[in-house]
Amino acid sequence: MKTTESLRRATGSLLVVGLGGTELTAMERAWLKLIRPAGVILFRRNIVDAKQTRALLAEATRHCAPRPATFVDVEGGTVDRLRDVLAPIPAVEAVARAARTTGNAALAREHGELVARVVKAFGFNSSFAPVLDLGLPESKDVMQTRCAAPDAAGVVAYAREFLAGLAAHRAAGCGKHFPGLGGGMRDTHLETPSIRRTWQQLWQEDLEPYRALCRQLPMVMVNHAAYPATAGKKTPASVSNFWINQVLRKRIGYGGIVVSDDLEMGGVTKFMPIEDAAVATVEVGSDLALICHHPEPILSVFESLIAEGERSAAFRKVLMARARESQRKCAKVFPKDMAQPLSARQFEGLRARILRFGETIEKIAPRELEAGPPKPPSIVETV
């Protein structure tokens, strides 16, 4: 009985889960108590205002692991879950261009500082940012204005300052989407892109931001693309021993938190069932697995990981070791308590600062030059 309970606790501590609405339902309370996940991720569907969001996070995390991660996607631009309840933060592409144009790296740092202040005002301790993908022509229709530059040097220059801005306000960042979506023409939300960049191209260009920022990144998110011209072949990176264990952990030497992109995404579920993907991503070295939207796959993954741990002594050993490592890393990265709420005056001051920053960026890097003709909204804008 004690072994079974230990396995269940370890399994839950590897999962980050999404919630359905703006308040917990009785069913959600029940399965959160059962799973005790590492943390939660919220989307627009979960957020009304700062007071409600903080209350939702406080209740949800009472049923999580001791140092719960509270995630939200705030990059700026199209991926900004808080833009409608506070103010729109400028897109990565515009800020990075403005910093290059003026030679003022402080603009990228201010971008990070604003993101940190915003997410903490709503009760989160982490943002899934910055994007470290190269802004190559192949991925422009998918990535739009999410990338800092087409070259590694430009991405590193922006991300180094952005991460410093996050760290200055004690918010955790996450480099994404390892090993790089710059050469992808498909959306991993829907299918598995086959990115035909060579190992040499990937190592020297796409992977350079991870190599350069290895010690500065609290977390790295692994994507669901495949790289058939490499030893990773046609397997999505998120479930690939080659990419997570051999390249990220061993060759690059990354020792921080490795998190899978959402396992409900078509990029991996069209390759294998979500239950198999969860087992695989733990087996090859992920510390946290994201399941962002529906309770059925959350519970199915939880039970499948336990079942595999009970069936295979070798997998149980891996899972238990990964859980210990994950909990150790989470204790270093995520604070024990939620940041204090802002007063109404402080909240309005933050809104005004974001709007001023947006005006500054707009003057240097006008939106019409940044984005080109209007495009239909990406799935990442509407989730």
Side-chain angles (χ1 to χ4, degrees), residues 329-356:
K329 293 172 184 177
C330 287
K332 290 178 63 177
V333 170
F334 306 119
K336 185 177 180 180
D337 299 313
M338 186 184 294
Q340 291 297 309
L342 299 184
S343 67
R345 182 174 180 180
Q346 289 171 324
F347 197 83
E348 288 307 312
L350 179 56
R351 188 200 309 275
R353 183 176 169 186
I354 294 168
L355 293 173
R356 286 197 302 272

mmCIF file of all heavy atoms in Angstrom, residues 329-356:
data_model
loop_
_atom_site.group_PDB
_atom_site.id
_atom_site.type_symbol
_atom_site.label_atom_id
_atom_site.label_comp_id
_atom_site.label_asym_id
_atom_site.label_seq_id
_atom_site.Cartn_x
_atom_site.Cartn_y
_atom_site.Cartn_z
ATOM 1 N N LYS A 329 13.891 20.517 -8.297
ATOM 2 C CA LYS A 329 14.031 21.673 -9.183
ATOM 3 C C LYS A 329 12.898 22.679 -8.964
ATOM 4 O O LYS A 329 13.133 23.898 -8.950
ATOM 5 C CB LYS A 329 14.057 21.217 -10.643
ATOM 6 C CG LYS A 329 15.282 20.409 -11.011
ATOM 7 C CD LYS A 329 15.137 19.823 -12.410
ATOM 8 C CE LYS A 329 16.294 18.923 -12.778
ATOM 9 N NZ LYS A 329 16.101 18.300 -14.098
ATOM 10 N N CYS A 330 11.676 22.184 -8.804
ATOM 11 C CA CYS A 330 10.538 23.077 -8.582
ATOM 12 C C CYS A 330 10.713 23.869 -7.287
ATOM 13 O O CYS A 330 10.346 25.054 -7.214
ATOM 14 C CB CYS A 330 9.234 22.283 -8.544
ATOM 15 S SG CYS A 330 8.694 21.672 -10.163
ATOM 16 N N ALA A 331 11.293 23.239 -6.261
ATOM 17 C CA ALA A 331 11.519 23.934 -4.992
ATOM 18 C C ALA A 331 12.508 25.084 -5.160
ATOM 19 O O ALA A 331 12.437 26.091 -4.440
ATOM 20 C CB ALA A 331 12.032 22.954 -3.944
ATOM 21 N N LYS A 332 13.426 24.965 -6.126
ATOM 22 C CA LYS A 332 14.394 26.027 -6.382
ATOM 23 C C LYS A 332 13.804 27.141 -7.228
ATOM 24 O O LYS A 332 14.147 28.314 -7.060
ATOM 25 C CB LYS A 332 15.623 25.454 -7.093
ATOM 26 C CG LYS A 332 16.504 24.568 -6.241
ATOM 27 C CD LYS A 332 17.662 24.007 -7.040
ATOM 28 C CE LYS A 332 18.590 25.105 -7.547
ATOM 29 N NZ LYS A 332 19.756 24.547 -8.270
ATOM 30 N N VAL A 333 12.903 26.788 -8.142
ATOM 31 C CA VAL A 333 12.412 27.747 -9.144
ATOM 32 C C VAL A 333 11.172 28.500 -8.684
ATOM 33 O O VAL A 333 11.045 29.704 -8.898
ATOM 34 C CB VAL A 333 12.137 27.027 -10.483
ATOM 35 C CG1 VAL A 333 11.395 27.940 -11.457
ATOM 36 C CG2 VAL A 333 13.440 26.539 -11.107
ATOM 37 N N PHE A 334 10.237 27.801 -8.046
ATOM 38 C CA PHE A 334 8.942 28.400 -7.733
ATOM 39 C C PHE A 334 8.862 28.814 -6.262
ATOM 40 O O PHE A 334 9.174 28.018 -5.376
ATOM 41 C CB PHE A 334 7.812 27.421 -8.056
ATOM 42 C CG PHE A 334 7.857 26.920 -9.459
ATOM 43 C CD1 PHE A 334 8.003 25.563 -9.729
ATOM 44 C CD2 PHE A 334 7.781 27.789 -10.527
ATOM 45 C CE1 PHE A 334 8.068 25.091 -11.020
ATOM 46 C CE2 PHE A 334 7.841 27.337 -11.831
ATOM 47 C CZ PHE A 334 7.992 25.980 -12.078
ATOM 48 N N PRO A 335 8.444 30.044 -5.986
ATOM 49 C CA PRO A 335 8.340 30.508 -4.589
ATOM 50 C C PRO A 335 7.234 29.770 -3.855
ATOM 51 O O PRO A 335 6.295 29.245 -4.447
ATOM 52 C CB PRO A 335 8.005 31.994 -4.741
ATOM 53 C CG PRO A 335 7.378 32.118 -6.087
ATOM 54 C CD PRO A 335 8.032 31.080 -6.947
ATOM 55 N N LYS A 336 7.359 29.754 -2.540
ATOM 56 C CA LYS A 336 6.384 29.036 -1.715
ATOM 57 C C LYS A 336 5.039 29.738 -1.705
ATOM 58 O O LYS A 336 3.981 29.089 -1.695
ATOM 59 C CB LYS A 336 6.920 28.919 -0.283
ATOM 60 C CG LYS A 336 6.058 28.087 0.641
ATOM 61 C CD LYS A 336 6.691 27.948 2.009
ATOM 62 C CE LYS A 336 5.835 27.104 2.939
ATOM 63 N NZ LYS A 336 6.432 26.967 4.286
ATOM 64 N N ASP A 337 5.062 31.066 -1.716
ATOM 65 C CA ASP A 337 3.814 31.828 -1.575
ATOM 66 C C ASP A 337 3.539 32.681 -2.803
ATOM 67 O O ASP A 337 4.455 33.100 -3.519
ATOM 68 C CB ASP A 337 3.894 32.733 -0.342
ATOM 69 C CG ASP A 337 4.088 31.947 0.939
ATOM 70 O OD1 ASP A 337 3.354 30.953 1.126
ATOM 71 O OD2 ASP A 337 4.981 32.302 1.736
ATOM 72 N N MET A 338 2.287 32.970 -3.032
ATOM 73 C CA MET A 338 1.858 33.864 -4.103
ATOM 74 C C MET A 338 2.266 35.295 -3.777
ATOM 75 O O MET A 338 2.261 35.711 -2.619
ATOM 76 C CB MET A 338 0.332 33.777 -4.239
ATOM 77 C CG MET A 338 -0.255 34.540 -5.405
ATOM 78 S SD MET A 338 -2.085 34.474 -5.414
ATOM 79 C CE MET A 338 -2.372 32.722 -5.724
ATOM 80 N N ALA A 339 2.644 36.048 -4.801
ATOM 81 C CA ALA A 339 2.990 37.459 -4.614
ATOM 82 C C ALA A 339 1.788 38.230 -4.077
ATOM 83 O O ALA A 339 0.630 37.870 -4.333
ATOM 84 C CB ALA A 339 3.445 38.061 -5.933
ATOM 85 N N GLN A 340 2.063 39.286 -3.338
ATOM 86 C CA GLN A 340 0.991 40.111 -2.781
ATOM 87 C C GLN A 340 0.186 40.780 -3.896
ATOM 88 O O GLN A 340 0.742 41.168 -4.927
ATOM 89 C CB GLN A 340 1.575 41.183 -1.860
ATOM 90 C CG GLN A 340 2.167 40.629 -0.578
ATOM 91 C CD GLN A 340 1.118 39.947 0.283
ATOM 92 O OE1 GLN A 340 0.062 40.518 0.569
ATOM 93 N NE2 GLN A 340 1.397 38.715 0.690
ATOM 94 N N PRO A 341 -1.124 40.935 -3.705
ATOM 95 C CA PRO A 341 -1.933 41.598 -4.733
ATOM 96 C C PRO A 341 -1.598 43.082 -4.838
ATOM 97 O O PRO A 341 -1.118 43.691 -3.874
ATOM 98 C CB PRO A 341 -3.367 41.395 -4.234
ATOM 99 C CG PRO A 341 -3.231 41.223 -2.754
ATOM 100 C CD PRO A 341 -1.921 40.510 -2.548
ATOM 101 N N LEU A 342 -1.845 43.639 -6.013
ATOM 102 C CA LEU A 342 -1.655 45.073 -6.197
ATOM 103 C C LEU A 342 -2.884 45.828 -5.719
ATOM 104 O O LEU A 342 -4.016 45.332 -5.813
ATOM 105 C CB LEU A 342 -1.428 45.387 -7.677
ATOM 106 C CG LEU A 342 -0.213 44.747 -8.363
ATOM 107 C CD1 LEU A 342 -0.106 45.266 -9.799
ATOM 108 C CD2 LEU A 342 1.066 44.998 -7.597
ATOM 109 N N SER A 343 -2.658 47.023 -5.223
ATOM 110 C CA SER A 343 -3.781 47.907 -4.919
ATOM 111 C C SER A 343 -4.369 48.401 -6.234
ATOM 112 O O SER A 343 -3.755 48.255 -7.307
ATOM 113 C CB SER A 343 -3.309 49.100 -4.084
ATOM 114 O OG SER A 343 -2.445 49.921 -4.859
ATOM 115 N N ALA A 344 -5.555 48.985 -6.159
ATOM 116 C CA ALA A 344 -6.182 49.522 -7.371
ATOM 117 C C ALA A 344 -5.276 50.566 -8.027
ATOM 118 O O ALA A 344 -5.140 50.608 -9.253
ATOM 119 C CB ALA A 344 -7.535 50.130 -7.025
ATOM 120 N N ARG A 345 -4.625 51.380 -7.214
ATOM 121 C CA ARG A 345 -3.732 52.409 -7.758
ATOM 122 C C ARG A 345 -2.511 51.774 -8.426
ATOM 123 O O ARG A 345 -2.093 52.207 -9.507
ATOM 124 C CB ARG A 345 -3.295 53.345 -6.628
ATOM 125 C CG ARG A 345 -2.409 54.490 -7.089
ATOM 126 C CD ARG A 345 -2.142 55.438 -5.939
ATOM 127 N NE ARG A 345 -1.301 56.549 -6.355
ATOM 128 C CZ ARG A 345 -0.913 57.529 -5.572
ATOM 129 N NH1 ARG A 345 -1.321 57.563 -4.298
ATOM 130 N NH2 ARG A 345 -0.152 58.504 -6.027
ATOM 131 N N GLN A 346 -1.948 50.747 -7.800
ATOM 132 C CA GLN A 346 -0.797 50.064 -8.385
ATOM 133 C C GLN A 346 -1.180 49.358 -9.685
ATOM 134 O O GLN A 346 -0.413 49.352 -10.652
ATOM 135 C CB GLN A 346 -0.233 49.052 -7.398
ATOM 136 C CG GLN A 346 0.476 49.666 -6.207
ATOM 137 C CD GLN A 346 0.818 48.637 -5.146
ATOM 138 O OE1 GLN A 346 0.061 47.694 -4.900
ATOM 139 N NE2 GLN A 346 1.961 48.814 -4.493
ATOM 140 N N PHE A 347 -2.362 48.778 -9.703
ATOM 141 C CA PHE A 347 -2.837 48.081 -10.899
ATOM 142 C C PHE A 347 -2.984 49.055 -12.061
ATOM 143 O O PHE A 347 -2.553 48.774 -13.189
ATOM 144 C CB PHE A 347 -4.172 47.401 -10.594
ATOM 145 C CG PHE A 347 -4.572 46.346 -11.580
ATOM 146 C CD1 PHE A 347 -4.074 45.057 -11.488
ATOM 147 C CD2 PHE A 347 -5.449 46.647 -12.603
ATOM 148 C CE1 PHE A 347 -4.441 44.085 -12.403
ATOM 149 C CE2 PHE A 347 -5.824 45.683 -13.533
ATOM 150 C CZ PHE A 347 -5.318 44.392 -13.430
ATOM 151 N N GLU A 348 -3.570 50.210 -11.789
ATOM 152 C CA GLU A 348 -3.727 51.209 -12.854
ATOM 153 C C GLU A 348 -2.374 51.770 -13.284
ATOM 154 O O GLU A 348 -2.164 52.088 -14.453
ATOM 155 C CB GLU A 348 -4.652 52.336 -12.383
ATOM 156 C CG GLU A 348 -6.106 51.916 -12.286
ATOM 157 C CD GLU A 348 -6.625 51.285 -13.570
ATOM 158 O OE1 GLU A 348 -6.397 51.873 -14.657
ATOM 159 O OE2 GLU A 348 -7.244 50.210 -13.495
ATOM 160 N N GLY A 349 -1.442 51.877 -12.330
ATOM 161 C CA GLY A 349 -0.100 52.322 -12.680
ATOM 162 C C GLY A 349 0.594 51.335 -13.606
ATOM 163 O O GLY A 349 1.302 51.730 -14.543
ATOM 164 N N LEU A 350 0.388 50.047 -13.362
ATOM 165 C CA LEU A 350 0.968 49.024 -14.227
ATOM 166 C C LEU A 350 0.343 49.084 -15.615
ATOM 167 O O LEU A 350 1.041 48.999 -16.625
ATOM 168 C CB LEU A 350 0.758 47.645 -13.607
ATOM 169 C CG LEU A 350 1.281 46.448 -14.401
ATOM 170 C CD1 LEU A 350 2.766 46.579 -14.707
ATOM 171 C CD2 LEU A 350 1.004 45.147 -13.640
ATOM 172 N N ARG A 351 -0.953 49.255 -15.670
ATOM 173 C CA ARG A 351 -1.626 49.383 -16.962
ATOM 174 C C ARG A 351 -1.067 50.568 -17.757
ATOM 175 O O ARG A 351 -0.770 50.460 -18.951
ATOM 176 C CB ARG A 351 -3.132 49.562 -16.753
ATOM 177 C CG ARG A 351 -3.936 49.499 -18.066
ATOM 178 C CD ARG A 351 -5.312 50.141 -17.905
ATOM 179 N NE ARG A 351 -6.041 49.644 -16.750
ATOM 180 C CZ ARG A 351 -6.786 48.542 -16.744
ATOM 181 N NH1 ARG A 351 -6.889 47.822 -17.848
ATOM 182 N NH2 ARG A 351 -7.427 48.181 -15.646
ATOM 183 N N ALA A 352 -0.910 51.698 -17.070
ATOM 184 C CA ALA A 352 -0.394 52.898 -17.739
ATOM 185 C C ALA A 352 1.029 52.675 -18.241
ATOM 186 O O ALA A 352 1.390 53.125 -19.344
ATOM 187 C CB ALA A 352 -0.443 54.086 -16.776
ATOM 188 N N ARG A 353 1.841 51.962 -17.460
ATOM 189 C CA ARG A 353 3.225 51.712 -17.884
ATOM 190 C C ARG A 353 3.263 50.818 -19.118
ATOM 191 O O ARG A 353 4.066 51.041 -20.031
ATOM 192 C CB ARG A 353 4.010 51.075 -16.739
ATOM 193 C CG ARG A 353 5.465 50.857 -17.096
ATOM 194 C CD ARG A 353 6.280 50.318 -15.949
ATOM 195 N NE ARG A 353 7.586 49.900 -16.420
ATOM 196 C CZ ARG A 353 8.498 49.286 -15.678
ATOM 197 N NH1 ARG A 353 8.248 49.048 -14.399
ATOM 198 N NH2 ARG A 353 9.646 48.920 -16.206
ATOM 199 N N ILE A 354 2.397 49.812 -19.162
ATOM 200 C CA ILE A 354 2.343 48.934 -20.340
ATOM 201 C C ILE A 354 1.942 49.730 -21.574
ATOM 202 O O ILE A 354 2.531 49.578 -22.657
ATOM 203 C CB ILE A 354 1.348 47.780 -20.103
ATOM 204 C CG1 ILE A 354 1.851 46.858 -19.002
ATOM 205 C CG2 ILE A 354 1.122 46.986 -21.394
ATOM 206 C CD1 ILE A 354 0.813 45.867 -18.518
ATOM 207 N N LEU A 355 0.945 50.584 -21.430
ATOM 208 C CA LEU A 355 0.482 51.382 -22.572
ATOM 209 C C LEU A 355 1.573 52.337 -23.048
ATOM 210 O O LEU A 355 1.767 52.514 -24.261
ATOM 211 C CB LEU A 355 -0.785 52.154 -22.195
ATOM 212 C CG LEU A 355 -2.027 51.275 -21.932
ATOM 213 C CD1 LEU A 355 -3.175 52.129 -21.413
ATOM 214 C CD2 LEU A 355 -2.437 50.524 -23.194
ATOM 215 N N ARG A 356 2.315 52.936 -22.122
ATOM 216 C CA ARG A 356 3.425 53.824 -22.516
ATOM 217 C C ARG A 356 4.511 53.041 -23.243
ATOM 218 O O ARG A 356 5.075 53.503 -24.236
ATOM 219 C CB ARG A 356 4.010 54.524 -21.284
ATOM 220 C CG ARG A 356 3.158 55.627 -20.703
ATOM 221 C CD ARG A 356 3.969 56.524 -19.771
ATOM 222 N NE ARG A 356 4.580 55.767 -18.670
ATOM 223 C CZ ARG A 356 3.975 55.528 -17.502
ATOM 224 N NH1 ARG A 356 2.737 55.971 -17.302
ATOM 225 N NH2 ARG A 356 4.595 54.854 -16.555
#
